[in-house]
Amino acid sequence: MSVLDEILAGAAEDLEVRMAATSLDDLKAQAARQHPALDPLPAYRADGISVIAEVKRSSPSRGQLATIKDPAGLAADYAAGGAATISVLTEQRRFNGTLDDLRAVRAVVDVPVLRKDFITTSYQLWEARAAGADMALLIVAALDQLALESLIERARSMGLTPLVEVHDADEVRRALDAGAEIIGVNARNLKTLEVHRNTFETLAPLIPDHVVRVAESGIRGPHDVIEYAKCGAHVVLVGETLVRGDDPRASVADLVAAGAHPALQHRW
């Protein structure tokens, strides 16, 4: 069993508990009370490189990263630094996150919020929207093609923008066949947890220019932002570097400044 399989099994068990506690009708009622979802695409398609800054306590590969007693405060710092989107890990077993983190973040920022989790059902999309998310992560490796297409369509129908994550060329093809508008290339293989820093450079040419390309994992600072941009990235998603740093607001600002370099303008 791969690491991804183990995570999915645990996520399914936790999902059953939440489903027993909260009905789908209740979730839909909560979602109906939310403000309309924010659209991340205008920012992603503007000049320069957008930054998705992540609230992330732990990871399967590195264990505990940061305590993060105040996810809302961290998210506010990210937004003040210029982050275009705040990503919130809500998986509890391996990442030590919760939907309460997402709710807290939603209450204090006015930029799009991404639910990052192992989503395999429409119930989880309703959870995301009910908690105030504007975006939801869909991992191609975790879904068969019919489920991927169905969840992309369902997400859009409720106002969520799907970020479709890939790790290899076949997954890029599947994401495009499913109609993905935003594709995240994760340098970390979720089945083995190995990081291959050339993954984005290899896969980016397979993603058409009209699709937003997001570089995920392995971003250590402004230099990496520029290098990913040269390979075709429109957006970078940064987690570990930010939560381990002493000044998340300044760290995000440095990444945003790198992404605004004149050489990276007018890429659409």
Side-chain angles (χ1 to χ4, degrees):
M1 180 180 285
S2 71
V3 176
L4 177 59
D5 290 333
E6 292 175 358
I7 294 173
L8 288 170
E13 292 177 5
D14 295 337
L15 175 60
E16 289 183 5
V17 174
R18 298 197 305 275
M19 291 178 70
T22 305
S23 72
L24 180 58
D25 286 342
D26 285 344
L27 281 182
K28 290 182 177 180
Q30 294 171 31
R33 293 192 290 269
Q34 294 289 339
H35 293 295
L38 301 173
D39 184 357
L41 284 171
Y44 294 173
R45 288 179 169 150
D47 284 342
I49 304 298
S50 295
V51 175
I52 301 175
E54 192 157 82
V55 177
K56 180 180 184 180
R57 292 189 177 89
S58 303
S59 77
S61 60
R62 297 296 184 98
Q64 179 84 4
L65 300 174
T67 304
I68 311 184
K69 294 180 179 179
D70 182 13
L74 177 59
D77 283 341
Y78 286 162
T85 299
I86 310 299
S87 171
V88 182
L89 261 300
T90 61
E91 195 277 337
Q92 64 189 62
R93 298 195 182 199
R94 299 297 188 98
F95 294 89
N96 199 25
T98 70
L99 281 163
D100 284 339
D101 291 342
L102 197 154
R103 295 184 187 98
V105 168
R106 170 75 287 159
V108 299
V109 301
D110 58 6
V111 296
V113 176
L114 164 69
R115 181 188 186 185
K116 199 172 182 191
D117 208 320
F118 296 82
I119 294 174
T120 56
T121 68
S122 59
Y123 182 93
Q124 291 161 287
L125 294 176
W126 282 111
E127 282 184 318
R129 192 69 198 100
D134 309 284
M135 302 176 64
L137 181 73
L138 297 175
I139 301 172
V140 174
L143 301 163
D144 64 36
Q145 193 64 13
L146 182 61
L148 176 64
E149 294 172 2
S150 175
L151 289 173
I152 288 175
E153 182 179 352
R154 182 60 61 89
R156 289 173 178 158
S157 73
M158 63 181 72
L160 290 168
T161 299
L163 167 57
V164 182
E165 182 174 288
V166 302
H167 304 84
D168 60 35
D170 181 61
E171 291 177 9
V172 171
R173 177 191 59 77
R174 290 182 55 204
L176 293 171
D177 287 347
E181 293 181 293
I182 305 174
I183 293 181
V185 177
N186 195 340
R188 187 179 302 282
N189 185 323
L190 291 179
K191 296 179 180 178
T192 64
L193 299 184
E194 295 176 345
V195 173
H196 300 282
R197 294 190 58 80
N198 66 340
T199 300
F200 184 87
E201 183 179 3
T202 300
L203 298 184
L206 306 178
I207 304 172
D209 288 339
H210 68 275
V211 175
V212 173
R213 305 183 196 99
V214 182
E216 304 177 28
S217 294
I219 297 159
R220 299 161 295 189
H223 175 75
D224 289 328
V225 173
I226 294 172
E227 290 304 306
Y228 274 127
K230 289 178 179 178
C231 294
H234 305 113
V235 184
V236 293
L237 189 154
V238 190
E240 182 176 332
T241 296
L242 296 177
V243 299
R244 284 183 177 273
D246 295 328
D247 191 341
R249 181 174 183 172
S251 296
V252 170
D254 288 344
L255 298 176
V256 171
H261 191 282
L264 307 180
Q265 308 301 303
H266 308 298
R267 295 170 302 116
W268 289 96

